Structure formats: C-alpha cells, structure tokens
Amino acid sequence: MSIQHVAILGLGLLGGSVGLAVREHANSISTTGYDRDADVRGRAAALGLVDEVCEIPADAVRNADLVILCVPVGAMETAASELAPHLKPNAIISDVGSSKESVTKALTNALPAHTIIPAHPVAGTEHSGPEAGFASLFTNRWCILTPPLDVDETAVAALSDFWAKLGAKVEIMDAAHHDLVLAVTSHIPHLIAYTIVGTASDLEEVTRSEVIKYSAGGFRDFTRIAASDPVMWRDVFLNNKGAVLEVLGRFTEDLTALQRAIRSGDGDTLHDLFSRTRAIRREVIDQGQDDERPDFGRKDHS
C-alpha cells in the first residue's frame, strides 16, 4: 500500500516535527493536522507545520492513509475513539508514544476493525509545543514499530518506509520487550532526574540560588531531562508501570550495593563500576547516538 496522506493528531514537538520532516523529506505526501488546543492550532498554522490545520479531528483524518496520534499515552483511547466514524477502512493507525503495550491495548479497544501499528520514534528534546518542532528530529534516530502478530505485513512495510523517508532507522520489536528496554534507557533515567532535581530543591542547607549558580555538568544534564513535558511523563509512568517498577527494583538493589561500597571504602568495586559505565558511554558515541564535544554548558562550541 502507498501512503499519500498523513493526518497528525497533536501538534507539539513530535507532531510538528513529523509534519516538518514530511515536507522536507517526503513532500509528495500531503499532511493535515489537528490539536485539541485552539491556540496551538493557530500557532501550528502560522508555523506551517502541516499543509492544513483542521478545526475538528474528523476533517483531519478523512481520506488519510496514515493517522499518527501524537498525544499523551493516557489520552490515546479517547482520542482514537473520536476518530472511528471518520477513518478510511484501510487506514493505518499509529502513534509516537513511549510505552507500547498500553497503547496497543488502547488503540485496539477504540478501533478494533482498523490496522493498528504502534510506533515510537526514539527522539525528542526537553522542549514542547508547536515551536519546538524541527524537520531533522528523526534523522539517524531509531523508530521502533511494535506491530501485533496478525497485522498486515504490507501495512508494516508501508509504515517502515514512511519513517525511513523521514531519516529514521526502523526496528521491529515486541511491545513488551520495547517497554522493558525503554524503562532502562529512558523512563528510569527521567525518574532519577526528576527525583534528584526535586531533592536538590528541598535541601534546607542549600539555597535555590546556590543550586542554580553552582550547577555542575551532571546536575545541568539532570535539569534538562527534568524539564520535559510533565503530562507526557506522568502518563508514561502510569502506563508502563510494570516494566518501570521491575527496573526500578533492580536499580534500588544496585544503589544499595553502591552505598555499601562507599561506606566500607571499597574502592575496587567503585572503580570496576565506573570503568564499565565509561565503556558504555563510548559505545553510545560510536553508534552516533551522541557526540563527545566538551561543551560544559557553553552555547558556542568553537
């Protein structure tokens, strides 16, 4: 099947970036968009994030070959249910959410007669809103598809090709395995960031101005992550509860062992851990998922 018309529901960072990426990399595909917030719709139209910003979701999805829900995972089922009477029978319904088992269930419940292929482009920034979108967000980033076992393979191929056109590297994965992997690589790191920034703000011995003034590189990185959209991340943790709690339990055990090593002066254990984690950082850089420029928070790298 061929994707000629894409409807984007939710015109923030990810939805806006999809629209801009289509225009830059696949401009033969037409785009329509909708956002529940009238102010966002106006800003998205002014920015030209999609070819047409619609005032009601029915107009956005009518005749669309692919519908991408760019809404918080907790809102997926409600958003999809509103679309049901207006979808083409053979339209692909997808998303960009960070938890996949819950999204698969929500979309299947809302649209049992349609082709559901959940997706997760592993890309983003701490910014949100229509102004945050940019066309290169998905370039050389992974987009993980978690199709149900009985889904039409031609639809999976069409969605894979769509994301590849936007510059992404596509991986097919089981939904439960995706949720466990992302709990390790994304969800728990965000939870730690929210926690440590909250702890710093609660310390009576350290004033808020000191926390901000003397922020070292590590804390600055935490504040960047902790600035992410609170609604989106609230829904991620509530909808990927099982995997998050499983990994959090393991992390808590490892943290206890680290406390024990520090208390007992066990330098060998600390050195071994730091050596292993340093090697992982090198692999992340080698695979192009980050670079090693030592900017230390400076805006100008030159």
Side-chain angles (χ1 to χ4, degrees):
M1 65 180 296
S2 175
I3 295 174
Q4 299 298 323
H5 175 191
V6 176
I8 303 167
L9 282 298
L11 295 171
L13 166 66
L14 289 172
S17 294
V18 171
L20 292 171
V22 169
R23 177 166 296 166
E24 182 166 314
H25 301 295
N27 59 15
S28 64
I29 298 175
S30 64
T31 55
T32 50
Y34 170 78
D35 196 283
R36 192 175 296 276
D37 187 323
D39 178 60
V40 170
R41 291 198 301 271
R43 289 150 61 198
L47 291 163
L49 299 185
V50 291
D51 295 333
E52 180 185 2
V53 175
C54 301
E55 290 302 308
I56 59 174
D59 288 345
V61 303
R62 192 173 287 116
N63 298 317
D65 304 303
L66 169 62
V67 176
I68 304 178
L69 292 166
C70 304
V71 301
V73 291
M76 289 286 178
E77 188 164 352
T78 299
S81 296
E82 295 176 356
L83 308 177
H86 313 289
L87 296 168
K88 286 173 61 173
N90 62 341
I92 299 170
I93 314 302
S94 191
D95 75 304
V96 294
S98 185
S99 63
K100 296 273 67 89
E101 278 198 300
S102 66
V103 166
T104 302
K105 182 179 179 181
L107 295 183
T108 302
N109 287 344
L111 303 168
H114 286 83
T115 300
I116 308 295
I117 308 177
H120 178 206
V122 187
T125 73
E126 70 273 25
H127 304 296
S128 57
E131 291 81 9
F134 55 99
S136 61
L137 179 63
F138 311 110
T139 302
N140 292 324
R141 299 300 177 191
W142 288 103
C143 182
I144 302 172
L145 308 187
T146 60
L149 293 176
D150 58 350
V151 76
D152 182 352
E153 288 298 324
T154 61
V156 176
L159 186 59
S160 297
D161 180 65
F162 170 79
W163 279 107
K165 285 179 179 177
L166 303 194
K169 301 179 289 185
V170 179
E171 183 87 9
I172 307 295
M173 192 178 291
D174 172 75
H177 187 66
H178 165 279
D179 288 355
L180 183 61
V181 170
L182 267 294
V184 174
T185 62
S186 177
H187 303 168
I188 293 301
H190 274 80
L191 191 65
I192 294 168
Y194 283 122
T195 303
I196 192 61
V197 174
T199 298
S201 70
D202 289 340
L203 281 174
E204 295 181 357
E205 297 85 357
V206 180
T207 68
R208 183 185 182 92
S209 63
E210 287 177 316
V211 168
I212 295 170
K213 181 177 180 180
Y214 300 117
S215 288
F219 188 77
R220 276 199 303 271
D221 286 344
F222 278 130
T223 61
R224 179 186 60 78
I225 296 170
S228 300
D229 185 346
V231 173
M232 181 185 79
W233 281 100
R234 176 201 65 193
D235 283 5
V236 166
F237 289 118
L238 294 178
N239 284 275
N240 196 25
K241 183 186 301 184
V244 165
L245 290 176
E246 179 180 342
V247 177
L248 188 59
R250 173 60 186 270
F251 174 77
T252 301
E253 293 174 4
D254 291 344
L255 191 60
T256 299
L258 191 59
Q259 287 176 305
R260 189 180 304 115
I262 294 171
R263 185 177 294 113
S264 63
D266 184 354
D268 289 341
T269 293
L270 297 176
H271 185 271
D272 289 346
L273 172 63
F274 301 158
S275 296
R276 286 192 292 113
T277 57
R278 186 182 191 187
I280 290 173
R281 171 61 180 171
R282 172 52 56 189
E283 291 180 38
V284 168
I285 293 171
D286 288 346
Q287 292 195 19
Q289 296 304 299
D290 201 355
D291 63 58
E292 55 185 341
R293 290 176 295 179
D295 63 3
F296 300 110
R298 293 192 296 268
K299 294 180 180 179
D300 182 6
H301 300 298
S302 60

